[in-house]
Amino acid sequence: MKLFALGDLHLGFRANREALPAWRARPDDWLILAGDVGETFAHVELGLRAATERFARVFWVPGNHELWSHRADGPRGVAKYEAIIALCRRIGVVTPEDPYVIWPGESPCVIAPVFVLYDYSFRPAPVAAGDAVAWAEADGILSADERFLAPDPYPTREAWCQARVEETEPRLAEAAAQYPLVLVNHFPLRQDLVRIPRIPRFSLWCGTRRTETWHTRFRAVVVVAGHLHVRTTDWIDGVRFEEVSLGYPRHWRRERGIDGYLREILPGPAAGTQTGGPVFHR
Ligand SMILES: [Fe+2]
Ligand SMILES: [Fe+2]
């Protein structure tokens, strides 16, 4: 029995949807979907169902893309998030709003899916918070989240992020008192993990410094994230950080199939076997 993870299925792309039927089933194993399954309810449901049909247990955290509101009459912000939570409950997928699940392996862990968004704090010190988006725009970088990711009813995405951090930390502390954690968040927990040299100022939309020490504070054995579309394995303070993205069609090779991009989280890969070749956003 293994725990795998995969992020950023991005089923808004036809090439990614077309790869689903050949995705191999692993009925004894569990799967973490690390966000950015798609933007619409139909594509999110397609991805969640594809996963639950193939794995014994499925976990999901929201990416920024799930939280987009394209339609003027559709749910926005927290309401969109809660609508996807309701969908997960119908399908039987574990979300950040459910009790954490214990991994029943030889070394038990708590699998903690969390959702904390970003707050523009991944920026150089001289750039003031209020100038951050303009600083990125000056380099031609502006996340589509600025148009599509509404924070309602919070006034800003930063405020939503802060509220999520504050409600998540006590839960993680309680869980970590029981077992070590597998911490799952769509966004990387630390700024030093954001290596996107072609678009460095996109870091604003990649996380929050509030989670910088979570891996040690909450006794993580593995931290799982997606979002960057740069598959890597890093070790920091003895903790394994896995970036598990599939990504846009240009970020992965069709002939390898979706199964070829699953990353083993537990019990864990043999040393040195899982450092994926970095792929970068263009
Ligand atoms: Fe993504
Ligand atoms: Fe993302």
Side-chain angles (χ1 to χ4, degrees):
M1 179 182 176
K2 293 184 174 189
L3 175 64
F4 289 99
L6 181 67
D8 303 73
L9 271 173
H10 284 292
L11 297 178
F13 290 95
R14 180 188 292 186
N16 289 23
R17 289 196 301 278
E18 287 177 348
L20 285 177
W23 188 4
R24 173 157 89 85
R26 295 174 180 264
D28 296 331
D29 299 327
W30 292 10
L31 177 70
I32 292 163
L33 284 174
D36 281 0
V37 173
E39 291 86 16
T40 65
F41 287 110
H43 288 157
V44 173
E45 181 166 357
L46 181 69
L48 295 176
R49 288 196 187 279
T52 55
E53 285 162 7
R54 289 167 174 80
F55 290 82
R57 194 144 207 191
V58 176
F59 302 78
W60 168 85
V61 293
N64 47 315
H65 282 251
E66 279 94 339
L67 301 175
W68 284 8
S69 306
H70 281 109
R71 286 178 21 216
D73 59 342
R76 294 166 61 83
V78 173
K80 175 108 196 248
Y81 175 56
E82 289 178 346
I84 303 172
I85 296 295
L87 172 64
C88 287
R89 295 215 163 118
R90 284 199 296 278
I91 299 175
V93 170
V94 180
T95 76
E97 306 311 307
D98 294 313
Y100 296 150
V101 172
I102 294 171
W103 169 254
E106 261 179 46
S107 306
C109 300
V110 173
I111 301 173
V114 304
F115 164 45
V116 290
L117 205 61
Y118 53 76
D119 63 2
Y120 307 89
S121 60
F122 284 180
R123 62 178 191 273
V127 178
D131 300 334
V133 173
W135 167 77
E137 274 192 289
D139 200 31
I141 304 295
L142 185 69
S143 170
D145 291 1
E146 295 296 313
R147 266 184 78 195
F148 296 123
L149 204 168
D152 310 28
Y154 293 98
T156 61
R157 282 170 288 277
E158 299 96 298
W160 193 3
C161 175
Q162 182 171 341
R164 291 298 313 188
V165 167
E166 285 168 6
E167 67 192 71
T168 301
E169 286 180 332
R171 289 190 66 196
L172 294 178
E174 190 185 348
Q178 189 182 13
Y179 290 117
L181 299 192
V182 173
L183 245 171
V184 185
N185 186 38
H186 178 64
F187 304 92
L189 294 190
R190 293 169 54 94
Q191 189 173 355
D192 57 6
L193 293 167
V194 181
R195 287 163 304 210
I196 42 177
R198 295 186 193 186
I199 48 169
R201 297 187 185 189
F202 188 78
S203 64
L204 295 183
W205 293 275
C206 289
T208 169
R209 288 192 190 162
R210 290 169 184 271
T211 58
E212 190 89 5
T213 61
W214 277 17
H215 63 295
T216 50
R217 203 170 139 201
F218 301 122
R219 281 210 298 157
V221 282
V222 191
V223 178
V224 177
H227 189 60
L228 301 176
H229 302 188
V230 181
R231 290 176 290 276
T232 50
T233 302
D234 286 278
W235 290 87
I236 302 172
D237 302 322
V239 179
R240 180 158 51 102
F241 286 76
E242 294 279 6
E243 207 286 2
V244 302
S245 297
L246 182 71
Y248 302 147
R250 65 177 181 269
H251 295 138
W252 63 285
R253 299 205 332 260
R254 239 52 79 231
E255 62 273 21
R256 216 168 130 186
I258 290 177
D259 194 72
Y261 289 90
L262 293 182
R263 290 176 86 83
E264 186 175 323
I265 304 306
L266 293 175
T273 60
Q274 197 156 279
T275 300
V279 286
F280 299 111
H281 288 274
R282 278 197 296 243

